Amino acid sequence: MRSPWRAMAGNPLRFLLSSWPWRSLAYLLSGLVTGILWMLLANVLVVVGVLLAPVGIGIVLLLCVPLSAIGLGAVDRRRLRLLDARPAPSPHRDPGEAGLGPWARFRLREAATWRELGHAVLAGLLSVAAVTGPVVLFVGGVVQAGAPMLVGHGDHLMYGPAGTVDTRAEAWPVAVFGGLMVLLGFYAMTVAAAARAALDRALLVRPVEEELVAVRASRARMADAFEAERRRIERDLHDGAQQRLTGLIMTLGLAKLDGGGEWAAKAQDEARAALAELRDLVRGIHPSVLTDRGLRAAVESLAERSAVPVEVDVELPGRPPEAIESSAYFVVAEALANVAKHSGASRARVTVRRTGKALRVEVRDDGTGGAAARADGGGSGLQGLADRVAVYDGTVRLSSPPGGPTILRVEFPCES
């Protein structure tokens, strides 16, 4: 569903024939009804609360005023659906305790409750004004547009002491002006409703930015936890299994020297192969060259092992944060693997630059093109690469027209 602002900015005839004016009217009238009802309830609670304050019950009634605004806020968040299809989550937190007393005490300590009280008072005052202006324009326009009919029945229109419309010749210009007033009334009604909806959302809805910040923080924590677990696995493999295999190879070597024969030699060869495979696995989990010598050396190592000739151009004034550096390495590794498997390229180039507060990685090849990310995880694995980059709020841009070349650009935010 489009916003009312975009609808008004489009074709006027399409806007007038759409449901926006009527949804706007429903929003304004329902807001007027709920606002007046809450104002009446709040006035009763305040008056009775003040009168009964000496006996104690009045204090409870006065405290019910801000609590009643919570109900109005919930109704207004549901009314937002008339004009705004975006989610409207409540700004209130879960009290975590059962019972009316704990709930009321918790709500009275929340800033959202008092913000909703301010909204309720403001909405009650603005509801009449928001409806009055458009209705005056609309009704006045209808009357002016009907001027020829009124004059034809012997009536006349008075515009002050010196202005009277009593002939059809005078009535038609007035009718045209009245038609314009009706159209202006539709627009004014939609503007008032959209402005009221924006105010309601600002005061009653938990900002989406807060949720995004929480999601980003949670995602970053998960990435850090994954990185720590990967390092632990790497360390365990290096310090445990590799050491045991090395010891086994030495023992088998001694056994062969003592006349262990063909089987000892074969077992030693198998152990060497297992050790080589295990070292490759450890290097795939987290290459030691990346930890010891940084991203440039790690990318050069990838280029040396690539089946496609790769030119490396890395210029970094210093080392980026560890998590960003690791992700950039695996981006290059995945991209070069895709080049070797799918592109049919004869050469590739990797460029890494640190500019301002961003780390930019570009992988270019002269292959056949046609690369694309697939959400189902198939294809070239570019979707997984994009997911890895998204963990750190990075961006991925891919250009791969049929016939090539393919250019993959990745950018990580890099503050430090």
Side-chain angles (χ1 to χ4, degrees), residues 187-389:
Y187 276 90
M189 185 164 54
T190 307
V191 168
R196 170 68 191 275
L199 176 66
D200 292 346
R201 176 168 285 277
L203 294 177
L204 298 176
V205 177
R206 182 171 65 249
V208 177
E209 289 76 9
E210 293 182 7
E211 295 184 347
L212 291 178
V213 167
V215 169
R216 290 191 186 107
S218 174
R219 197 167 57 184
R221 287 194 300 270
M222 291 176 63
D224 291 343
F226 173 76
E227 186 69 22
E229 182 66 14
R230 186 170 62 183
R231 293 295 184 86
R232 185 192 66 78
I233 295 172
E234 175 197 0
R235 186 173 58 252
D236 291 346
L237 288 174
H238 183 274
D239 297 340
Q242 284 193 165
Q243 297 298 329
R244 288 182 178 274
L245 281 174
T246 302
L248 176 60
I249 291 172
M250 294 177 64
T251 303
L252 290 172
L254 293 174
K256 186 169 65 173
L257 291 175
D258 288 340
E262 181 183 353
W263 289 108
K266 185 175 180 180
Q268 188 178 32
D269 292 340
E270 291 290 338
R272 284 199 182 99
L275 181 59
E277 185 176 343
L278 186 58
R279 283 173 176 164
D280 290 339
L281 175 62
V282 171
R283 185 165 54 246
I285 293 175
H286 191 86
S288 58
V289 65
L290 178 64
T291 304
D292 299 337
R293 299 170 54 197
L295 186 59
R296 179 185 178 89
V299 172
E300 290 175 346
S301 176
L302 285 173
E304 291 174 359
R305 299 197 305 270
S306 174
V308 177
V310 180
E311 180 183 352
V312 176
D313 181 11
V314 179
E315 290 186 9
L316 296 174
R319 297 190 64 169
E322 184 178 358
I324 298 296
E325 185 180 59
S326 177
S327 292
Y329 169 83
F330 283 104
V331 163
V332 175
E334 179 68 26
L336 292 181
N338 288 338
V339 170
K341 292 178 182 177
H342 308 289
S343 71
S346 61
R347 64 181 182 275
R349 177 184 175 87
V350 177
T351 305
V352 182
R353 291 287 187 274
R354 176 82 174 272
T355 56
K357 295 183 177 180
L359 177 68
R360 294 186 176 92
V361 178
E362 179 181 292
V363 180
R364 179 191 297 256
D365 69 71
D366 62 353
T368 57
R374 288 174 51 182
D376 60 2
S380 61
L382 290 172
Q383 183 63 44
L385 185 149
D387 292 340
R388 176 187 289 274
V389 174

Side-chain angles (χ1 to χ4, degrees), residues 44-63:
V44 170
L45 290 174
V46 169
V47 171
V48 177
V50 170
L51 293 176
L52 297 180
V55 295
I57 188 65
I59 304 299
V60 176
L61 293 176
L62 291 175
L63 292 177

Side-chain angles (χ1 to χ4, degrees), residues 1 23 51 66 70 109 133 181 200 203 212 240 259 297 334 356 364 371 392 399 403:
M1 185 172 69
R23 285 211 298 263
L51 293 176
I70 297 176
R109 291 195 298 267
M181 285 184 63
D200 292 346
L203 294 177
L212 291 178
E334 179 68 26
R364 179 191 297 256
Y392 300 99
S399 173

